[in-house]
Amino acid sequence: MKNAKGFTLVEVLGAIALLGIIIAIAIPVYNRTSESTKQKAYETKAQQIELAAEKWASEINLSSAKTITVNYLVSEGYFQADEIENDENVVYNPKDNSSMICYTIDVTIDNNNPEAKLSDQENCDLVISEEIDRNIIVSAYKYDNETQKILDTTNLDKNSAFKELDWTNTAVLLVVESEVYSGYTKVTFSNSGTTITKNVENNNIFASKDVKKDLELNADQYANVFVVDAAVFLNSTYDISLYTNEGTKTTDTIVKIDKESATANIINDSNWSNANKKVTIQGSDGSGSGLKGFYVSDKQQYDNNLELIETTYETKITRQEGTYYVWTLDNAGNLSDEYVTSFEVTNIDDTNPVISNFEPHFTKLNGYTYNQSGYINVRISDADSGIKNAQYCLTTGSSCTPNINLNLDINAEGKVNFPTQKAANRLCVKAVDNVGNETTKCDTNTYLVDGTAPTNVSAKYQTNSIGIINVTGTDAESDINKVVCKYGTTTSLSSTKNATKSGSQYVCDLGNLTSKQKYYAKAEVYNNSGLISTTSTITFTPAITPEIAYDEICNGQTYCPQGILVRYGRYTFTMFKKSGSTYWALLNGTYGSGKVINAGCCDCSCCYYSNCNLGSSRNSLTDAVRSFYNVLPSSKSRKLSSVYQATGYYDARTNSDRTSARGWTSPVGLLNYTDWNRIKNYSYASVGQYYALSTVYVNGSAISSSRLAPYAILVNGRSMRYNGDPLSTVTARPLIIINGNIPFDGGNGTASNPYIMN
């Protein structure tokens, strides 16, 4: 027999090493799996707690956000504890077996639906506070404010855990007590941000158990008694706080008052019958306590012996034909004072239905030819078997055959909506009762309706303008009535301007806007029914040149009637004349002063330019013009024109205009007499002062002193005479000539905001 061989030492060591590797791999995997399992268990438990909190909030009709603890849900019976240890609830966290009893739950209300979110933040003080609340007893009774007496000794508080009261149709008397706390100093009652404080020193604290006897007095005499009342209904939470030797203790009470009875309406079965007639009664109690049932009688007076019909909303009338009356009862005990509705039971019908006069309801704005929308109410009645069905049709003629079903309400009223189209429509209606009798009636009026706003609307800024917005839009029905542009330097669009029609589009002239200022604009396009379509907001920055400003403000005239203010450097000019592609601007006010020297003349007047010059004294006009030129901005060569201006003169001796007598041009252009004569009556030409009207010539290169000297002057429109008088002193009013294609740096040409040329 062959002996069996055992494992060698090497084999044993190899197996042990392999087993170690397997364990090293398995343990982390196991740990990860275990952690994942615990996390899923925690998430499941958290979801269960949140669902329990939402159920609690729904059942107590929670109206505002509230934070509670897991312990509170367990104590109220909405969530089961894992175990009870030392008379305390225990809920374990599946992740680490720690207690969740102090975890908080935030409950919010969204569209009357509670939403709960569990937090792992502990608040054990809140647990204690919730337990303390149980030591406050709130009793509630029906109360008559006028007689100041309790009407019913039955306590309205049916849920001591949250102190939610039953519905009542009277005022509610709240009595606050505690068998645990003592040393009351005051009691507060808070609701919807309003707090009533009742101090013990001003009121006798009520502690008697004989509520019926002691509270046949004015409730204001007691610090722990509070009356809640409502005009119609109330469903609200009151926070009640006791200030005691042990601190402030608070509880909540939901008071529900409903003093308004429910409503009802009737739907009769459309089938005609000689036997039973099924009647559907519908009722509503609005925001009140809810409908409890109906009482039905063939008498107009309520009888206490009537049987309550529960709110199944269907009943059968098995009595003889006639009128029946309905009263409602709600859960707060409100019985309608009079019957709320009635219905007829009949069994004979030998007449045709009646179509009452049509009642048009059309939305037509003042000043518009079309209606925005429209419908006609049609009342159809049949005193016997009732209406079986109704149909209608719309026509542009005098009549048509009704073929469209008309839905009728319980009052046998139908509503016919008019279509949106240009055609004038007329309505015809046919009514059929339950035994086949029918009536057809057509309205004699026609109606135009356009319920569709304009389409394809757009707005675009015209770039070669100061403020022109071109607007387009179409309306296939009633056509465009008007276009209004809204604009401004912010998105508030505080200014408006009506557009004018130009061909197939509309033009909004926004007026004299500020150059290089960002603007926002949009257009509202109205059709002839007053419906509006609004374009998207556009942005634009006007780059206004002298040419654009002059053409729009001055209507292209050679001389601008009102003038355009331009600030150049630190000086303000009035741009008043168009000369080819350049524009003349006269300095507002005067600049410097100088003396006129007549070195030689004809007839002692300055009639030849070559013989008229200015003195070279320090304060001469030449120096004034030169110093003016020296303070102009450095960009003057780009913005001021380099075009020579032809000049002439006015012969004062012969009173003749010689503006074309000289064929040459001067390096410094002068405002000749014809120009002066045409502008002197404008607001910016101050007659009565002496002016030397001249321009500064700029050609982009250095200017010599001679180029700065004016060669002639005009004083109040006439050349100056020299009759042996002392030399006359005049003040310079320089004239600049501006290139027409240079954009202004800002401004809009008004007195407070002139155009800016830097």
Side-chain angles (χ1 to χ4, degrees):
M1 181 173 140
K2 197 176 210 182
N3 293 330
K5 292 179 65 178
F7 292 108
T8 66
L9 179 59
V10 173
E11 290 174 332
V12 171
L13 292 175
I16 292 172
L18 180 59
L19 182 60
I21 293 172
I22 294 173
I23 292 173
I25 295 173
I27 289 176
V29 173
Y30 171 79
N31 288 338
R32 287 194 298 270
T33 302
S34 177
E35 291 297 323
S36 176
T37 301
K38 292 178 180 179
Q39 179 63 31
K40 290 181 179 179
Y42 173 79
E43 292 173 356
T44 300
K45 198 163 197 174
Q47 185 179 29
Q48 293 171 346
I49 292 172
E50 291 170 350
L51 290 174
E54 291 173 358
K55 181 181 179 183
W56 163 80
S58 177
E59 290 185 359
I60 70 166
N61 196 23
L62 186 68
S63 60
S64 59
K66 191 173 183 68
T67 299
I68 60 175
T69 64
V70 173
N71 184 72
Y72 183 78
L73 283 181
V74 175
S75 300
E76 295 301 315
Y78 287 90
F79 193 77
Q80 186 174 359
D82 293 326
E83 64 175 79
I84 307 296
E85 183 178 323
N86 297 327
D87 294 330
E88 293 185 357
N89 300 318
V90 179
V91 177
Y92 291 112
N93 188 332
K95 293 190 292 186
D96 55 11
N97 284 332
S98 62
S99 176
M100 300 175 65
I101 208 70
C102 291
Y103 283 17
T104 59
I105 308 160
D106 293 323
V107 184
T108 57
I109 305 299
D110 184 14
N111 292 327
N112 296 323
N113 296 318
E115 295 182 1
K117 184 65 178 178
L118 176 67
S119 170
D120 58 4
Q121 299 296 318
E122 294 186 326
N123 189 344
C124 293
D125 290 339
L126 182 57
V127 172
I128 297 173
S129 173
E130 291 168 342
E131 292 297 329
I132 290 174
D133 289 349
R134 298 174 182 278
N135 296 321
I136 302 175
I137 301 173
V138 179
S139 302
Y141 306 94
K142 292 184 177 182
Y143 188 74
D144 188 333
N145 260 327
E146 293 185 2
T147 63
Q148 300 182 351
K149 290 184 179 181
I150 292 176
L151 300 176
D152 191 341
T153 58
T154 304
N155 193 346
L156 294 172
D157 183 3
K158 297 301 183 183
N159 184 352
S160 60
F162 193 75
K163 299 180 177 60
E164 179 182 12
L165 307 184
D166 284 344
W167 281 99
T168 179
N169 57 3
T170 69
V172 175
L173 184 77
L174 301 178
V175 182
V176 185
E177 300 175 283
S178 175
E179 298 178 355
V180 176
Y181 308 119
S182 61
Y184 300 162
T185 59
K186 63 181 179 180
V187 185
T188 62
F189 301 84
S190 301
N191 172 258
S192 300
T194 301
T195 299
I196 303 297
T197 301
K198 304 186 77 173
N199 295 310
V200 172
E201 61 266 23
N202 297 328
N203 307 84
N204 296 319
I205 192 72
F206 176 77
S208 173
K209 299 297 183 181
D210 193 353
V211 175
K212 292 183 292 183
K213 177 180 178 181
D214 289 350
L215 287 185
E216 291 178 355
L217 299 172
N218 188 343
D220 290 338
Q221 296 177 358
Y222 302 95
N224 66 330
V225 176
F226 186 66
V227 177
V228 179
D229 203 353
V232 181
F233 61 83
L234 175 71
N235 186 355
S236 186
T237 300
Y238 281 78
D239 294 326
I240 304 173
S241 297
L242 294 181
Y243 291 76
T244 72
N245 290 336
E246 290 83 1
T248 303
K249 312 300 179 182
T250 302
T251 189
D252 295 330
T253 296
I254 298 179
V255 180
K256 299 189 293 185
I257 300 174
D258 180 3
K259 295 185 177 181
E260 186 175 69
S261 59
T263 61
N265 54 52
I266 306 298
I267 299 178
N268 281 324
D269 193 326
S270 61
N271 294 321
W272 180 256
S273 173
N274 291 325
N276 295 339
K277 182 176 182 181
K278 185 173 69 173
V279 178
T280 299
I281 308 177
Q282 295 180 335
S284 172
D285 198 34
S287 300
S289 57
L291 182 69
K292 187 173 183 179
F294 308 100
Y295 294 101
V296 179
S297 174
D298 58 357
K299 305 291 191 301
Q300 293 190 30
Q301 301 299 323
Y302 174 75
D303 186 345
N304 290 329
N305 296 321
L306 292 175
E307 179 184 355
L308 180 67
I309 301 173
E310 299 294 338
T311 54
T312 59
Y313 301 106
E314 283 192 5
T315 186
K316 287 186 177 180
I317 303 299
T318 58
R319 301 170 186 152
Q320 295 297 319
E321 64 180 14
T323 303
Y324 292 84
Y325 305 91
V326 178
W327 292 261
T328 59
L329 179 68
D330 65 16
N331 289 313
N334 294 301
L335 177 67
S336 55
D337 295 335
E338 299 178 354
Y339 65 89
V340 294
T341 189
S342 63
F343 58 90
E344 298 287 334
V345 174
T346 60
N347 61 358
I348 298 175
D349 183 4
D350 57 1
T351 59
N352 292 333
V354 176
I355 302 177
S356 303
N357 291 334
F358 296 138
E359 298 177 1
H361 298 269
F362 289 88
T363 304
K364 188 172 184 179
L365 300 182
N366 199 18
Y368 291 90
T369 56
Y370 275 63
N371 299 283
Q372 283 191 3
S373 59
Y375 65 92
I376 289 182
N377 273 344
V378 182
R379 179 180 288 275
I380 302 174
S381 60
D382 189 270
D384 297 320
S385 64
I387 301 300
K388 180 179 181 180
N389 59 58
Q391 294 179 310
Y392 74 93
C393 61
L394 294 168
T395 178
T396 57
S398 59
S399 64
C400 58
T401 301
N403 58 356
I404 305 172
N405 289 334
L406 174 61
N407 295 324
L408 302 177
D409 62 16
I410 60 173
N411 297 313
E413 286 189 355
K415 177 181 178 181
V416 177
N417 291 309
F418 268 57
T420 302
Q421 59 187 40
K422 283 187 175 181
N425 286 284
R426 178 177 284 112
L427 172 67
C428 293
V429 175
K430 179 178 72 173
V432 181
D433 67 15
N434 281 295
V435 293
N437 298 313
E438 68 177 53
T439 300
T440 299
K441 182 177 181 179
C442 295
D443 190 6
T444 58
N445 298 314
T446 58
Y447 303 93
L448 282 169
V449 179
D450 182 0
T452 305
T455 58
N456 303 318
V457 297
S458 65
K460 185 178 181 181
Y461 172 64
Q462 184 174 308
T463 56
N464 61 341
S465 68
I466 291 183
I468 300 298
I469 303 294
N470 294 319
V471 184
T472 58
T474 58
D475 191 274
E477 303 299 334
S478 63
D479 208 355
I480 303 300
N481 177 275
K482 67 176 180 178
V483 174
V484 177
C485 290
K486 294 186 175 181
Y487 66 99
T489 56
T490 65
T491 54
S492 63
L493 308 180
S494 57
S495 300
T496 61
K497 184 74 71 171
N498 291 332
T500 58
K501 189 171 184 181
S502 177
S504 61
Q505 66 180 6
Y506 292 81
V507 176
C508 287
D509 187 349
L510 306 185
N512 196 12
L513 302 183
T514 300
S515 183
K516 297 187 179 179
Q517 166 70 52
K518 184 176 181 180
Y519 284 87
Y520 301 83
K522 66 180 179 181
E524 294 179 343
V525 182
Y526 296 73
N527 65 10
N528 278 298
S529 68
L531 290 173
I532 310 170
S533 289
T534 303
T535 68
S536 58
T537 300
I538 63 173
T539 59
F540 60 93
T541 303
I544 301 172
T545 63
E547 178 182 7
I548 294 174
Y550 198 92
D551 286 346
E552 293 211 16
I553 298 175
C554 308
N555 297 319
Q557 300 181 49
T558 301
Y559 291 91
C560 188
Q562 65 268 32
I564 305 170
L565 293 183
V566 178
R567 183 178 296 279
Y568 190 46
R570 64 183 184 181
Y571 297 102
T572 302
F573 295 81
T574 299
M575 188 166 69
F576 66 92
K577 180 183 178 182
K578 177 178 182 180
S579 179
S581 60
T582 61
Y583 299 85
W584 292 16
L586 190 65
L587 179 68
N588 290 358
T590 60
Y591 188 92
S593 64
K595 295 182 177 180
V596 177
I597 299 176
N598 195 332
C601 68
C602 60
D603 196 28
C604 295
S605 66
C606 226
C607 55
Y608 293 110
Y609 295 139
S610 59
N611 293 328
C612 295
N613 56 64
L614 297 177
S616 58
S617 61
R618 184 169 57 85
N619 64 338
S620 68
L621 194 59
T622 301
D623 295 332
V625 174
R626 181 185 295 109
S627 60
F628 165 75
Y629 175 76
N630 289 336
V631 298
L632 291 180
S634 60
S635 61
K636 55 186 174 294
S637 62
R638 180 173 64 87
K639 296 185 176 181
L640 299 185
S641 173
S642 60
V643 177
Y644 288 3
Q645 296 295 326
T647 59
Y649 68 97
Y650 170 71
D651 191 336
R653 179 177 62 84
T654 61
N655 193 29
S656 59
D657 188 353
R658 300 293 298 278
T659 56
S660 302
R662 311 301 296 179
W664 50 271
T665 58
S666 67
V668 179
L670 295 176
L671 182 65
N672 59 49
Y673 177 75
T674 300
D675 297 329
W676 169 252
N677 193 47
R678 295 184 65 174
I679 68 168
K680 65 182 179 181
N681 293 322
Y682 295 148
S683 60
Y684 48 80
S686 301
V687 178
Q689 298 185 37
Y690 294 105
Y691 298 107
L693 304 174
S694 62
T695 64
V696 177
Y697 168 68
V698 178
N699 62 4
S701 60
I703 306 300
S704 64
S705 298
S706 62
R707 287 289 181 92
L708 290 172
Y711 286 82
I713 61 172
L714 295 170
V715 180
N716 281 352
R718 300 186 63 181
S719 58
M720 295 188 64
R721 293 178 179 274
Y722 178 74
N723 293 320
D725 297 329
L727 297 178
S728 300
T729 300
V730 297
T731 53
R733 197 179 192 197
L735 182 78
I736 61 173
I737 301 177
I738 308 170
N739 284 327
N741 59 354
I742 303 298
F744 290 116
D745 296 291
N748 60 12
T750 63
S752 60
N753 189 17
Y755 283 119
I756 305 300
M757 292 175 58
N758 291 326

